[in-house]
Amino acid sequence: MNRKVVLIITFLLIIVACKPTIDNSSTTVKIIPFGEKPGLLRQPYLQMASPTGITITWKTTAITKNCYVEFQEKNQFAKTVVKGNIVNHEGNILNEVALINLKPSTTYYYNIYSNGHLLASGLEYYFTSAPNNNKTAFSFYALGDIGAEEKSSFASEPASRIKELEKKPDFGLGLGDIVYPKGESKNYDNHLFKPFQEVFKNTPFYPVTGNHDWLSDPEKNFEKEWHLPGNEHYYSYTYSNTLFIGLDSSNGNFYKVEEQISWLKNTLEVNKNKYDWIIVYLHHNGKSCTYKEDYEHVKALYKIFANNGVDLVLNGHAHTYERLKPFDFEGNVDASIKNQNQYTNLKNRFISITIGAGGKIEKKWKVNINDPKNCPDGTIVAHSEHVPSFGLISINGRKLNFEGINSLTGKKFDDFSITK
Ligand SMILES: [Fe+2]
């Protein structure tokens, strides 16, 4: 073969190897790089779902130099490619890709690539963008106190039951104490992401910190693991006709208390008449008949919640399940309500629920609503159940349904509805 022919063949090979992949929606052109195939240490997980965007993150071994996501609308062939960011964290790489310009309420399948190598694809790798209207019915799950070491955690049980639900929830809330014992990044994979990987790869998750997450610096741990709105400690977002507010109740008082409470008041003031529902979630309980004390910093917000249209307050902390009767702005039970399963017109009332048996249950304790330690007469409790559990909330217009679900059996053990 003469030199000229060799040169031409080499040139052709280079063209093929560097064939650019065209982003057909936003005209991004990227060259697929070649490099060593990294190990996939953490399956992809979804965050920041909006009507037009979502963030997909996965974790690889440290040899990764670049990453991208290829995605396509369900039943369509045209693929879009979006390049991501590489974040070095604790000797591994977080591959983070933020997708934009999505169509609302649309399901897409995605493939993830690092160093030009396909690391994951298939029918379980999909997401649905959020709706851009306030009419769409939706559902979400919520649980706290989730990820502990294998021998003391049953986190894979709620994850399996969530996967088995007849209707897949649109997203999930993490009510603090996300990873035990100290919220360290090094424990996230074994304690949380492995048991929840089948849920997280197609269902976005929005956690808040708990007191255990605060035992390690959140800036170097919690904030690295998650992409959340705002400062990632306290934040709000909307989904259909509902405003969600996540708070950071830290370790006995609120993180940056003055700033956070003033932000909360302002957020509620600005939004209280804009949404059909407002749902607040945080780690600590206010009043409670569980083995945990009443937390004054949370009780101090009751008046703000009740007067600003908050409907539900979801928390973890006590490793059990407890639904309280509707509270008024004084923090007292509304004794005029007879039916604790069907509520209508709960104006200036909210319902507080502890869902803290997400991955752990308190072994040395039994439900005793008459325990004088916290509850002199137990009348504030609508339903207690000391079982591994999670909450499933469905919203359809001005009707909200809540279900407490046993994580071991998948059976519903508590429910109520609120109609406006
Ligand atoms: Fe806690």
Side-chain angles (χ1 to χ4, degrees), residues 140-144 171-175 205-207 237 244 279 281 314:
F140 61 96
Y141 71 88
L143 76 177
F171 54 95
L173 308 183
L175 309 176
F205 189 63
Y206 295 84
Y237 54 95
F244 289 85
I279 293 171
Y281 60 105
L314 308 177

Side-chain angles (χ1 to χ4, degrees), residues 271-284:
N271 290 298
K272 67 178 172 183
N273 297 317
K274 283 194 192 162
Y275 296 92
D276 289 331
W277 305 95
I278 299 179
I279 293 171
V280 171
Y281 60 105
L282 75 173
H283 182 60
H284 289 81

Side-chain angles (χ1 to χ4, degrees), residues 145 177 211-212 283 317:
D145 311 75
D177 285 1
N211 53 306
H212 283 266
H283 182 60
H317 199 45

